[in-house]
Short mmCIF file of all heavy atoms in Angstrom, two decimals:
data_model
loop_
_atom_site.label_atom_id
_atom_site.label_comp_id
_atom_site.label_asym_id
_atom_site.label_seq_id
_atom_site.Cartn_x
_atom_site.Cartn_y
_atom_site.Cartn_z
N VAL A 779 0.85 -1.20 0.00
CA VAL A 779 0.00 0.00 0.00
C VAL A 779 0.88 1.25 0.00
O VAL A 779 0.60 2.22 -0.72
CB VAL A 779 -0.97 -0.02 1.21
CG1 VAL A 779 -1.64 1.33 1.40
CG2 VAL A 779 -2.02 -1.11 1.04
N VAL A 780 1.95 1.25 0.78
CA VAL A 780 2.87 2.39 0.83
C VAL A 780 3.54 2.58 -0.54
O VAL A 780 3.67 3.71 -1.03
CB VAL A 780 3.92 2.20 1.95
CG1 VAL A 780 5.04 3.22 1.84
CG2 VAL A 780 3.25 2.28 3.31
N GLU A 781 3.94 1.48 -1.19
CA GLU A 781 4.55 1.57 -2.52
C GLU A 781 3.55 2.13 -3.54
O GLU A 781 3.93 2.95 -4.39
CB GLU A 781 5.04 0.20 -2.97
CG GLU A 781 6.26 -0.29 -2.21
CD GLU A 781 6.56 -1.76 -2.47
OE1 GLU A 781 5.87 -2.40 -3.29
OE2 GLU A 781 7.50 -2.27 -1.82
N ASN A 782 2.30 1.71 -3.46
CA ASN A 782 1.28 2.24 -4.37
C ASN A 782 1.09 3.74 -4.14
O ASN A 782 0.93 4.50 -5.10
CB ASN A 782 -0.05 1.51 -4.18
CG ASN A 782 -0.05 0.16 -4.84
OD1 ASN A 782 0.68 -0.09 -5.79
ND2 ASN A 782 -0.88 -0.74 -4.33
N SER A 783 1.11 4.15 -2.90
CA SER A 783 0.97 5.57 -2.59
C SER A 783 2.13 6.38 -3.19
O SER A 783 1.93 7.46 -3.74
CB SER A 783 0.91 5.76 -1.07
OG SER A 783 0.85 7.12 -0.74
N ALA A 784 3.31 5.84 -3.09
CA ALA A 784 4.49 6.51 -3.66
C ALA A 784 4.37 6.61 -5.17
O ALA A 784 4.73 7.63 -5.76
CB ALA A 784 5.76 5.78 -3.26
N ARG A 785 3.86 5.55 -5.81
CA ARG A 785 3.68 5.58 -7.27
C ARG A 785 2.68 6.64 -7.68
O ARG A 785 2.84 7.29 -8.72
CB ARG A 785 3.19 4.22 -7.78
CG ARG A 785 4.31 3.24 -7.98
CD ARG A 785 3.85 1.95 -8.63
NE ARG A 785 3.07 2.16 -9.82
CZ ARG A 785 2.05 1.39 -10.20
NH1 ARG A 785 1.70 0.35 -9.48
NH2 ARG A 785 1.39 1.65 -11.30
N ARG A 786 1.61 6.84 -6.87
CA ARG A 786 0.62 7.87 -7.19
C ARG A 786 1.24 9.25 -7.13
O ARG A 786 0.88 10.14 -7.89
CB ARG A 786 -0.57 7.79 -6.23
CG ARG A 786 -1.56 6.74 -6.58
CD ARG A 786 -2.86 6.91 -5.82
NE ARG A 786 -2.73 6.85 -4.38
CZ ARG A 786 -2.72 5.74 -3.65
NH1 ARG A 786 -2.82 4.57 -4.25
NH2 ARG A 786 -2.62 5.79 -2.34
N LYS A 787 2.16 9.45 -6.21
CA LYS A 787 2.77 10.77 -6.02
C LYS A 787 3.93 11.03 -6.98
O LYS A 787 4.39 12.15 -7.09
CB LYS A 787 3.25 10.91 -4.58
CG LYS A 787 2.11 10.92 -3.60
CD LYS A 787 2.60 10.96 -2.18
CE LYS A 787 1.41 10.87 -1.23
NZ LYS A 787 1.83 10.74 0.15
N MET A 788 4.39 10.01 -7.69
CA MET A 788 5.54 10.15 -8.57
C MET A 788 5.29 11.09 -9.74
O MET A 788 6.22 11.71 -10.23
CB MET A 788 5.97 8.78 -9.13
CG MET A 788 7.24 8.29 -8.54
SD MET A 788 7.98 6.94 -9.43
CE MET A 788 6.71 5.75 -9.60
N ASN A 789 4.06 11.22 -10.21
CA ASN A 789 3.80 12.08 -11.36
C ASN A 789 4.21 13.52 -11.09
O ASN A 789 4.76 14.19 -11.95
CB ASN A 789 2.32 12.02 -11.74
CG ASN A 789 1.96 10.68 -12.34
OD1 ASN A 789 2.79 10.01 -12.90
ND2 ASN A 789 0.71 10.29 -12.19
N ALA A 790 3.97 14.02 -9.90
CA ALA A 790 4.36 15.37 -9.55
C ALA A 790 5.88 15.52 -9.55
O ALA A 790 6.41 16.58 -9.86
CB ALA A 790 3.79 15.76 -8.20
N ALA A 791 6.57 14.47 -9.22
CA ALA A 791 8.04 14.52 -9.17
C ALA A 791 8.65 14.62 -10.57
O ALA A 791 9.81 15.00 -10.70
CB ALA A 791 8.57 13.28 -8.46
N LYS A 792 7.88 14.32 -11.61
CA LYS A 792 8.40 14.37 -12.97
C LYS A 792 8.44 15.80 -13.53
O LYS A 792 9.10 16.04 -14.53
CB LYS A 792 7.55 13.50 -13.89
CG LYS A 792 7.66 12.03 -13.60
CD LYS A 792 6.78 11.23 -14.53
CE LYS A 792 6.83 9.76 -14.19
NZ LYS A 792 5.93 8.98 -15.04
N ILE A 793 7.77 16.74 -12.90
CA ILE A 793 7.69 18.11 -13.44
C ILE A 793 9.07 18.75 -13.58
O ILE A 793 9.37 19.30 -14.65
CB ILE A 793 6.74 18.97 -12.57
CG1 ILE A 793 5.31 18.44 -12.73
CG2 ILE A 793 6.81 20.44 -12.96
CD1 ILE A 793 4.29 19.08 -11.82
N PRO A 794 9.94 18.72 -12.57
CA PRO A 794 11.27 19.34 -12.77
C PRO A 794 12.05 18.70 -13.91
O PRO A 794 12.75 19.41 -14.65
CB PRO A 794 11.97 19.10 -11.43
CG PRO A 794 10.88 18.93 -10.43
CD PRO A 794 9.76 18.29 -11.19
N GLU A 795 11.91 17.39 -14.10
CA GLU A 795 12.61 16.73 -15.20
C GLU A 795 12.11 17.25 -16.55
O GLU A 795 12.90 17.49 -17.46
CB GLU A 795 12.40 15.22 -15.13
CG GLU A 795 13.06 14.55 -13.95
CD GLU A 795 12.67 13.08 -13.85
OE1 GLU A 795 12.24 12.49 -14.86
OE2 GLU A 795 12.81 12.53 -12.74
N VAL A 796 10.81 17.42 -16.67
CA VAL A 796 10.24 17.90 -17.93
C VAL A 796 10.66 19.35 -18.18
O VAL A 796 10.99 19.72 -19.31
CB VAL A 796 8.70 17.74 -17.91
CG1 VAL A 796 8.08 18.42 -19.12
CG2 VAL A 796 8.32 16.28 -17.88
N LEU A 797 10.67 20.16 -17.13
CA LEU A 797 11.10 21.55 -17.29
C LEU A 797 12.56 21.61 -17.75
O LEU A 797 12.91 22.42 -18.62
CB LEU A 797 10.92 22.32 -15.98
CG LEU A 797 9.47 22.59 -15.56
CD1 LEU A 797 9.44 23.25 -14.20
CD2 LEU A 797 8.76 23.43 -16.59
N LYS A 798 13.39 20.74 -17.18
CA LYS A 798 14.79 20.69 -17.59
C LYS A 798 14.89 20.25 -19.05
O LYS A 798 15.70 20.78 -19.82
CB LYS A 798 15.55 19.72 -16.68
CG LYS A 798 17.03 19.65 -16.96
CD LYS A 798 17.73 18.71 -16.01
CE LYS A 798 19.19 18.61 -16.36
NZ LYS A 798 19.90 17.65 -15.52
N GLU A 799 14.07 19.29 -19.43
CA GLU A 799 14.06 18.80 -20.81
C GLU A 799 13.67 19.92 -21.77
O GLU A 799 14.25 20.07 -22.85
CB GLU A 799 13.07 17.63 -20.91
CG GLU A 799 13.13 16.85 -22.19
CD GLU A 799 12.18 15.66 -22.17
OE1 GLU A 799 11.89 15.13 -21.09
OE2 GLU A 799 11.74 15.28 -23.27
N ILE A 800 12.69 20.75 -21.39
CA ILE A 800 12.26 21.88 -22.24
C ILE A 800 13.40 22.89 -22.36
O ILE A 800 13.71 23.38 -23.45
CB ILE A 800 11.00 22.55 -21.64
CG1 ILE A 800 9.80 21.62 -21.77
CG2 ILE A 800 10.71 23.88 -22.34
CD1 ILE A 800 8.59 22.09 -21.00
N LYS A 801 14.02 23.19 -21.23
CA LYS A 801 15.10 24.18 -21.20
C LYS A 801 16.28 23.75 -22.07
O LYS A 801 16.89 24.58 -22.74
CB LYS A 801 15.55 24.38 -19.76
CG LYS A 801 16.65 25.38 -19.58
CD LYS A 801 17.03 25.47 -18.11
CE LYS A 801 18.32 26.25 -17.97
NZ LYS A 801 18.82 26.20 -16.60
N GLU A 802 16.57 22.45 -22.08
CA GLU A 802 17.73 21.96 -22.80
C GLU A 802 17.43 21.55 -24.24
O GLU A 802 18.33 21.07 -24.94
CB GLU A 802 18.35 20.79 -22.04
CG GLU A 802 18.93 21.20 -20.70
CD GLU A 802 19.42 20.03 -19.88
OE1 GLU A 802 19.23 18.86 -20.31
OE2 GLU A 802 19.98 20.27 -18.80
#
């Protein structure tokens, strides 16, 4: 259940990566 919760929250963690990808 804790792992599933972490997977649900992972999408928000991808935002900085996408912003870096746009910048570069």
Side-chain angles (χ1 to χ4, degrees):
V779 168
V780 169
E781 289 168 4
N782 283 335
S783 177
R785 277 187 51 215
R786 279 194 300 275
K787 293 176 184 173
M788 252 195 308
N789 290 334
K792 292 179 184 177
I793 293 173
E795 292 173 21
V796 172
L797 291 175
K798 184 178 177 184
E799 191 176 332
I800 291 170
K801 180 181 168 188
E802 294 174 355

